[in-house]
Amino acid sequence: MATNAIDQTRRMLSLVTYLRERPGAHVQDVARAFGITEDELISDLDVLPMCGTSFRGGDLLDIDTDGDRIWWHNPDDVAEPLRLAADEATALLVAARAVATLPGLRESDRQALLRATAKLETAAGEVGAASSRLSVTFESEGGVFADVDRAISERRRLWLRYYSPARDELTEREVDPIRLFAVGHTYMEAWCRSSEDRRTFRLDRVAEIRLLDEPAAPPELELRDLSEGLVQPAAEDPEVVVEVGPGGRWVAEYYPHDSAQELPDGGLRITLRTPDPASLRRLALRLGRDGRIVSPPELAQSAQQAARAALAAYDGPA
């Protein structure tokens, strides 16, 4: 399932109606009805009470759960007709028009939103007309987002030309998309047919994308919990310090890290944690003159030995 802001907004709005009509609903039943995990549902329930019963906040929604059943103690307040002040109507109309332009929004949802916006404009009168002079735009990966969202909806395979900063090259591959998600940037999780493994692709690094006629058939995979970030090193993992020059600044973007301090030459001193420090020897070899491992000393020495061995291989007979 694609997990993005559009899907979550749809789900949260639907939860209001669903729970109001089903007092004491079982968590398991609600999660199954919305096609999400119980943990995702509980996360939604943690946020939903803070939304308030009006656009100005109003009384907080009174939702309670013991982990098995869900109770809503003030559904009548939510059912009351909504009355909007002029500024509230303006904000709602501007937001609705902006959302209607989002790439990836299904056409049926876009048309439903436009119809609702037209009705609100009529009801708002002069305020509605004045709001048309305001506009909001969203930064996004545009067509890439739309194509990925469509591929997920239609269960179709994708062809990508993708830039890898670690190798500084464009690669071509076919993938079966699994979901969209945002952790700082917008990503697609997919099953890569080239590597026969799960891979994560950052949408702003997709140089070209094409929907294929082949159906997507990713294997059944357990979705990772991304609430704490894309990669989550443990606190007990060994600490590694790497210094990179200007040409190696991509490391701070590519690898999760604890800190990245600016160096006088335009480079960075990066502190990160990894359960397998030896794997960073490959990073040191890729960086070449653009970086080096500073600590721990044994890892730095190991990287130097690996570099010498690589160079020695070129000194032998052809």
Side-chain angles (χ1 to χ4, degrees):
M1 156 176 192
T3 303
N4 56 51
I6 297 171
D7 289 336
Q8 187 174 20
T9 300
R10 292 193 195 107
R11 187 170 72 233
M12 298 280 277
L13 292 173
S14 299
L15 267 173
V16 173
T17 302
Y18 187 94
L19 295 176
R20 179 163 54 85
E21 296 175 352
R22 295 169 177 81
H26 287 279
V27 169
Q28 182 179 7
D29 295 337
V30 178
R32 186 184 304 113
F34 282 84
I36 58 178
T37 66
E38 293 183 23
D39 287 342
E40 287 175 315
L41 174 60
I42 295 300
S43 179
D44 284 351
L45 294 178
D46 288 340
V47 175
L48 198 56
M50 305 301 176
C51 296
T53 57
S54 78
F55 278 83
R56 294 186 181 277
D59 296 329
L60 297 182
L61 299 178
D62 191 1
I63 300 174
D64 194 15
T65 179
D66 60 1
D68 178 46
R69 298 172 71 94
I70 306 168
W71 292 272
W72 194 323
H73 300 297
N74 59 346
D76 293 338
D77 295 338
V78 179
E80 293 178 355
L82 180 64
R83 293 178 176 84
L84 298 178
D87 59 337
E88 293 173 330
T90 299
L92 182 58
L93 284 168
V94 171
R97 293 192 193 99
V99 170
T101 67
L102 280 174
L105 187 64
R106 294 174 178 83
E107 188 57 29
S108 59
D109 294 333
R110 191 188 313 278
Q111 293 303 319
L113 178 58
L114 291 174
R115 290 193 297 271
T117 303
K119 292 179 181 178
L120 181 57
E121 286 175 340
T122 301
E126 293 181 2
V127 171
S131 70
S132 64
R133 295 193 292 269
L134 302 173
S135 65
V136 174
T137 58
F138 296 97
E139 291 185 4
S140 70
E141 290 75 23
V144 175
F145 185 105
D147 285 342
V148 174
D149 189 63
R150 180 182 172 190
I152 292 172
S153 301
E154 299 178 4
R155 299 183 182 279
R156 291 170 61 180
R157 188 168 296 174
L158 287 167
W159 172 87
L160 304 177
R161 179 175 291 143
Y162 187 76
Y163 173 68
S164 171
R167 296 191 297 271
D168 191 26
E169 65 180 8
L170 286 168
T171 61
E172 296 183 12
R173 62 189 82 195
E174 292 185 6
V175 302
D176 292 343
I178 298 171
R179 61 172 170 169
L180 282 162
F181 62 90
V183 181
H185 297 275
T186 307
Y187 296 86
M188 169 183 62
E189 188 170 22
W191 182 260
C192 179
R193 290 289 163 181
S194 302
S195 59
E196 286 299 313
D197 200 359
R198 172 163 47 189
R199 292 289 185 267
T200 301
F201 302 93
R202 224 176 83 176
L203 295 198
D204 62 352
R205 291 179 179 155
V206 176
E208 191 176 349
I209 187 169
R210 187 166 63 243
L211 274 80
L212 304 178
D213 292 331
E214 289 88 346
E220 291 293 330
L221 299 171
E222 182 178 353
L223 296 181
R224 296 177 296 157
D225 179 8
L226 301 172
S227 59
E228 298 298 325
L230 186 58
V231 181
Q232 303 162 23
E236 63 271 15
D237 288 343
E239 183 179 274
V240 178
V241 178
V242 180
E243 287 188 353
V244 300
R249 292 180 68 94
W250 59 265
V251 174
E253 187 177 343
Y254 199 78
Y255 286 84
H257 54 276
D258 294 336
S259 65
Q261 299 174 325
E262 294 283 348
L263 295 176
D265 65 351
L268 294 171
R269 182 182 178 90
I270 303 167
T271 302
L272 53 84
R273 296 180 183 277
T274 173
D276 181 20
S279 66
L280 293 181
R281 282 199 301 267
R282 292 191 296 272
L283 170 62
L285 292 175
R286 287 204 302 268
L287 285 169
R289 295 181 181 276
D290 282 327
R292 67 188 183 94
I293 295 173
V294 177
S295 68
E298 59 272 18
L299 179 59
Q301 183 178 6
S302 174
Q304 291 172 359
Q305 292 171 348
R308 291 192 188 100
L311 290 172
Y314 288 94
D315 294 332

